[in-house]
Amino acid sequence: MSKTVRTFLSGASVALGATVAFSGTAQANTELLDQINSYSQDDIAQVNSVFQLSDVSPSDWAFDALRNLVENYNCIVGYPDGTFRGSRPLSRYEFAAGLNACLQQIERMIQSGTSEVTPEDLAALRRLVNEFEAELATLGARVDDLEGRVEFLEDNQFSTTTKLGGEVLFNLVGAFGEEKADSDGEDIDDQITFSNRVRLNLDTSFTGRDRLRTRLEAGNVAELNDATGTRTARLGFDGDNGNDVEISKLYYRFPVGSRARGYVGAIGMGIDDVFTATNPYFESSGDGALSRFGRRNPLTLRGSDGAGVGFNYNLSDRFTLSGIYLTDDGDVNNPEEKNGLFNGSYVTGAQLAFSPTDKIDLAFTYTNTYQKSDAVNLSASTIDGLPRRPFGNLATTANNFGIEGSWMVGSRFNLAGWVGYTKADFELGDGEADIWNWAVNAALLDVGGDGNVLGFIFGQPPKVTSASGVDALGENDDTSYLAELQYRYKLNDNITITPGAYVIFNPNNNDNNDTIVVGAIRTRFSF
């Protein structure tokens, strides 16, 4: 038997595991076609050397067979991540697909006269073809069927440039305690409520590297500050517009060269759309912290959501520099005095994000804010009293500094947190105030099943630690704390149920206020 066929027969049965397995479900078939198409890309089109496969080494028992197939026939491809995955099971369909690829290569070699083939060789090849004739026929039919389905979807899809993503939240919520914070004995409104929030994201790309995001939103999730007397009780996903559909976010993200990305926002663009929150398991409003405070640093990563510009610039693989300028939604389109793009409330700043290892992320954030009279909210609605308005509801500027970090300690345990400091100045008189906040959180992954998360958050909402000047209203003698415990149960890829509760000690930095407990069951549907 010639070397050509002998090499093929000895290697084919041990080295064809990188071909494609076919499934009978529509979803799996679509994913399969994407995988097949990915093999035609420049970075994975064909393996010309066995050493291009990252998980294959000379010590592997099938190394020589695989090398012969790769180098002599060029009929083996790897997975899109550059691996071969030779230890995975091989189906008859996979073998048939690999056999077909190698047979076609041998035919080309015979036609070009670059190999010597004997009658014995042809008989051996004919036996293989007959053995897998049914699989080869089925393989071709299934690929034709998949191509037909994809063509149908492309002809009938919503848009060739826009993808729709959605999220629906059902929320069962209740607040408990003796009296409202800073009240004259008024009882907490402790009724159990049921509410919802719906978000539809329309993401449009014109070049494949850009994104125009249009978010439609409706909801009736009440803010709990009126029911409890403190904004620390607010939920991380609240918002009540009477379930009227409105555009809550509209911005365009686009590449600038090969290392930078720009942003232009018209409605609702936030600091966290440009800067990283470095809080991977609790930042999201849909499946992150139940409390508003627990999601991210309120002093540096919340501000005047609205219109403006931003950028990210990759200094290297581990350093990213970002910048932003935003004007409040209510000011940017108002031509009256103390409004508009540059004379209303604004936030501007920069962030340096750094990943010293693959498991550690750090960010150093600075923002400068101006909040005009009647719109002062330095604490970003995470607490009431002095941290929110240290000089009353009169024009205030602030320099805000934050350090945020996340550490994947092990494969199933993550630690994260932040420290924030604000230096606030009274614009209309003599007053300064120092405001601090901090938080730590822990996430235990896959507790009770894959995709589940057991989470704990503990932190200090903003507190005025010192104040000076005749117009400063004072400083806080006591300290508020928030502790949250939640369990995020992944029912399937599209439904997550999160029961949990958070406790507020010394609400509004006043130990005369009773402890407040907020319990919630949040169910998230994503599509």
Side-chain angles (χ1 to χ4, degrees), residues 36-163:
I36 293 174
N37 291 334
S38 74
Y39 289 163
S40 66
Q41 297 171 0
D42 293 340
D43 60 345
I44 193 64
Q46 185 64 58
V47 177
N48 298 315
S49 171
V50 70
F51 296 103
Q52 291 178 246
L53 301 169
S54 61
D55 59 344
V56 174
S57 64
S59 61
D60 292 332
W61 68 275
F63 177 80
D64 289 335
L66 181 60
R67 182 177 61 183
N68 285 332
L69 283 173
V70 170
E71 296 177 358
N72 292 333
Y73 302 102
N74 271 347
C75 60
I76 294 295
V77 296
Y79 280 89
D81 61 358
T83 61
F84 182 69
R85 306 182 195 176
S87 61
R88 60 179 293 275
L90 177 69
S91 71
R92 287 178 63 87
Y93 286 122
E94 290 177 309
F95 186 86
L99 171 64
N100 187 58
C102 289
L103 285 175
Q104 290 176 352
Q105 180 64 11
I106 291 175
E107 288 178 1
R108 286 191 289 268
M109 295 171 66
I110 292 174
Q111 292 172 0
S112 64
T114 58
S115 65
E116 298 180 359
V117 181
T118 67
E120 181 185 6
D121 298 335
L122 293 175
L125 291 174
R126 191 174 295 111
R127 284 195 301 271
L128 277 173
V129 172
N130 291 336
E131 172 70 18
F132 290 93
E133 183 177 7
E135 284 80 4
L136 290 171
T138 303
L139 187 68
R142 290 192 175 186
V143 170
D144 291 342
D145 180 62
L146 286 175
E147 290 177 343
R149 294 185 186 187
V150 171
E151 183 178 354
F152 175 81
L153 290 174
E154 289 177 345
D155 292 340
N156 294 274
Q157 63 185 325
F158 167 72
S159 170
T160 59
T161 59
T162 301
K163 293 182 178 180

Side-chain angles (χ1 to χ4, degrees), residues 345-506:
S345 297
Y346 72 82
V347 56
T348 185
Q351 182 187 70
L352 180 64
F354 171 47
S355 299
T357 72
D358 293 337
K359 296 184 177 181
I360 298 177
D361 295 308
L362 299 172
F364 305 91
T365 309
Y366 165 76
T367 61
N368 173 266
T369 62
Y370 167 77
Q371 297 182 359
K372 64 182 185 179
S373 296
D374 298 325
V376 178
N377 187 12
L378 296 185
S379 68
S381 293
T382 58
I383 199 167
D384 287 274
L386 295 175
R388 185 169 184 246
R389 294 171 174 170
F391 319 112
N393 198 9
L394 300 173
T396 302
T397 59
N399 291 294
N400 311 289
F401 305 86
I403 300 175
E404 299 86 26
S406 176
W407 177 27
M408 195 69 184
V409 181
S411 61
R412 297 186 177 183
F413 182 51
N414 189 85
L415 288 174
W418 69 77
V419 175
Y421 166 71
T422 290
K423 185 71 172 181
D425 294 290
F426 185 40
E427 282 287 291
L428 305 178
D430 178 23
E432 293 183 349
D434 296 328
I435 305 171
W436 288 85
N437 91 107
W438 57 266
V440 295
N441 62 63
L444 295 172
L445 312 183
D446 300 332
V447 177
D450 292 342
N452 300 335
V453 179
L454 178 64
F456 177 73
I457 304 169
F458 184 77
Q460 173 202 294
K463 172 185 177 180
V464 177
T465 58
S466 65
S468 61
V470 296
D471 294 309
L473 301 181
E475 58 189 58
N476 295 122
D477 295 325
D478 304 321
T479 305
S480 286
Y481 296 101
L482 180 143
E484 177 177 332
L485 180 67
Q486 62 161 258
Y487 180 66
R488 199 177 312 157
Y489 176 68
K490 184 178 179 181
L491 188 63
N492 55 45
D493 290 340
N494 302 101
I495 303 176
T496 304
I497 302 173
T498 306
Y502 49 96
V503 183
I504 305 163
F505 304 96
N506 307 324

Side-chain angles (χ1 to χ4, degrees), residues 160-162 203-212 252-257 260-262:
T160 59
T161 59
T162 301
D203 290 335
T204 303
S205 180
F206 305 100
T207 67
R209 299 177 60 204
D210 61 341
R211 185 181 75 183
L212 174 65
Y252 181 55
R253 187 183 73 189
F254 54 93
V256 181
R261 185 162 60 187

Side-chain angles (χ1 to χ4, degrees), residues 49-363:
S49 171
V50 70
F51 296 103
Q52 291 178 246
L53 301 169
S54 61
D55 59 344
V56 174
S57 64
S59 61
D60 292 332
W61 68 275
F63 177 80
D64 289 335
L66 181 60
R67 182 177 61 183
N68 285 332
L69 283 173
V70 170
E71 296 177 358
N72 292 333
Y73 302 102
N74 271 347
C75 60
I76 294 295
V77 296
Y79 280 89
D81 61 358
T83 61
F84 182 69
R85 306 182 195 176
S87 61
R88 60 179 293 275
L90 177 69
S91 71
R92 287 178 63 87
Y93 286 122
E94 290 177 309
F95 186 86
L99 171 64
N100 187 58
C102 289
L103 285 175
Q104 290 176 352
Q105 180 64 11
I106 291 175
E107 288 178 1
R108 286 191 289 268
M109 295 171 66
I110 292 174
Q111 292 172 0
S112 64
T114 58
S115 65
E116 298 180 359
V117 181
T118 67
E120 181 185 6
D121 298 335
L122 293 175
L125 291 174
R126 191 174 295 111
R127 284 195 301 271
L128 277 173
V129 172
N130 291 336
E131 172 70 18
F132 290 93
E133 183 177 7
E135 284 80 4
L136 290 171
T138 303
L139 187 68
R142 290 192 175 186
V143 170
D144 291 342
D145 180 62
L146 286 175
E147 290 177 343
R149 294 185 186 187
V150 171
E151 183 178 354
F152 175 81
L153 290 174
E154 289 177 345
D155 292 340
N156 294 274
Q157 63 185 325
F158 167 72
S159 170
T160 59
T161 59
T162 301
K163 293 182 178 180
L164 171 65
E167 177 188 76
V168 176
L169 301 182
F170 287 172
N171 315 291
L172 196 65
V173 179
F176 310 95
E178 295 296 327
E179 298 178 357
K180 294 183 179 180
D182 299 330
S183 69
D184 295 328
E186 187 178 355
D187 292 338
I188 283 180
D189 299 328
D190 56 3
Q191 299 297 316
I192 304 298
T193 64
F194 182 75
S195 55
N196 70 86
R197 190 190 74 182
V198 179
R199 283 180 172 177
L200 298 178
N201 288 329
L202 299 172
D203 290 335
T204 303
S205 180
F206 305 100
T207 67
R209 299 177 60 204
D210 61 341
R211 185 181 75 183
L212 174 65
R213 167 157 289 186
T214 305
R215 173 177 291 171
L216 305 178
E217 183 169 340
N220 63 353
V221 185
E223 300 177 2
L224 294 179
N225 46 292
D226 289 336
T228 62
T230 177
R231 284 175 169 79
T232 311
R234 284 188 59 177
L235 296 159
F237 48 89
D238 64 14
D240 186 358
N241 65 357
N243 269 326
D244 292 332
V245 178
E246 61 183 24
I247 298 177
S248 63
K249 194 177 289 290
L250 179 62
Y251 70 88
Y252 181 55
R253 187 183 73 189
F254 54 93
V256 181
S258 60
R259 307 181 70 177
R261 185 162 60 187
Y263 299 77
V264 177
I267 299 172
M269 189 166 79
I271 300 175
D272 59 306
D273 288 318
V274 181
F275 292 176
T276 176
T278 321
N279 193 20
Y281 294 98
F282 299 102
E283 196 276 334
S284 169
S285 65
D287 62 356
L290 294 172
S291 63
R292 178 179 175 87
F293 171 70
R295 289 181 55 198
R296 57 181 180 267
N297 190 335
L299 299 184
T300 56
L301 295 174
R302 290 189 184 274
S304 299
D305 290 3
V309 296
F311 73 88
N312 307 126
Y313 181 76
N314 294 324
L315 300 172
S316 69
D317 291 341
R318 298 196 177 275
F319 286 90
T320 300
L321 178 66
S322 302
I324 200 166
Y325 175 86
L326 292 174
T327 301
D328 189 84
D329 271 332
D331 297 343
V332 65
N333 64 336
N334 189 341
E336 297 179 359
E337 188 178 2
K338 297 296 182 180
N339 289 284
L341 186 59
F342 299 108
N343 290 312
S345 297
Y346 72 82
V347 56
T348 185
Q351 182 187 70
L352 180 64
F354 171 47
S355 299
T357 72
D358 293 337
K359 296 184 177 181
I360 298 177
D361 295 308
L362 299 172

